[in-house]
Amino acid sequence: LARRRARARRPRSVAGQQAPRGAFPPAWNSPKWTIDAPRRDQSPRRRTIPIATDATNPLVIFTPSGKRGRFPAGTPVLTAARQLGVDLDSVCGGRGICSKCQVAPQVGDFPKHGVTVGANALSDFNAVERRYDEKRGLKPGRRLGCQAHIQGDCVVDVPPESQVHKQ
């Protein structure tokens, strides 16, 4: 009698043969439970800008980390940094009020990186940056990473005070 109960409880495979001991119930073998499916506890992902691989998009190089990637023109520097995993701090969520995301865009020829950067690599100062500069002041040559948008190939230096994990 005990043998019959144990056999009846074990799941059966599609061919009607008995599944091996320890097999998952058939519901667990459904596509919903595959390894590639997202976990239930994951929150919905934020909209991300895909890292482009073609040479038509501007190349962004972050120093001192050396991380680089191609992004569509108009992408904020802070978004590009987050996509590449660059250690750039931002407390205000990109609203331009905390100054933690200050970056120093570089201009000139960079043979090490194989890129020449012009003065128009980033967007012009916008109203948020001008207001912040009037109220608190930005150091010369600095921009707010959340407000500066990529327009062309650029090399961006992340100063130590803007890094999350200071080295």
Side-chain angles (χ1 to χ4, degrees), residues 4 20 28 36 50-51 53 59 68 72 78 85 99 101-102 106 110 114 120 128 135 141 148-149 163 165:
R4 250 188 267 161
W28 288 7
D36 295 334
I51 297 175
T53 56
L59 176 66
R68 58 175 51 208
L78 180 62
S99 80
C101 63
Q102 287 188 26
Q106 307 296 318
F110 298 90
N120 58 350
V128 175
K135 296 287 182 182
H149 294 268
Q163 294 176 5
H165 304 99

Side-chain angles (χ1 to χ4, degrees), residues 33-136:
W33 292 94
T34 59
I35 294 172
D36 295 334
R39 295 188 318 260
R40 287 184 177 177
D41 61 345
Q42 281 183 334
S43 60
R45 292 187 176 242
R46 293 180 180 166
R47 184 173 94 52
T48 58
I49 296 173
I51 297 175
T53 56
D54 60 345
T56 59
N57 289 322
L59 176 66
V60 183
I61 302 167
F62 288 95
T63 59
S65 67
K67 294 183 179 179
R68 58 175 51 208
R70 292 194 178 275
F71 293 91
T75 304
V77 174
L78 180 62
T79 303
R82 286 179 175 170
Q83 293 275 322
L84 292 173
V86 175
D87 197 24
L88 182 60
D89 198 6
S90 175
V91 177
C92 68
R95 292 181 292 165
I97 56 176
C98 71
S99 80
K100 297 288 187 182
C101 63
Q102 287 188 26
V103 293
Q106 307 296 318
V107 178
D109 188 31
F110 298 90
K112 176 182 176 181
H113 301 297
V115 67
T116 301
V117 179
N120 58 350
L122 295 179
S123 61
D124 294 331
F125 268 73
N126 61 14
V128 175
E129 283 181 295
R130 276 195 292 278
R131 183 173 184 276
Y132 185 85
D133 194 22
E134 291 169 3
K135 296 287 182 182
R136 295 190 185 172

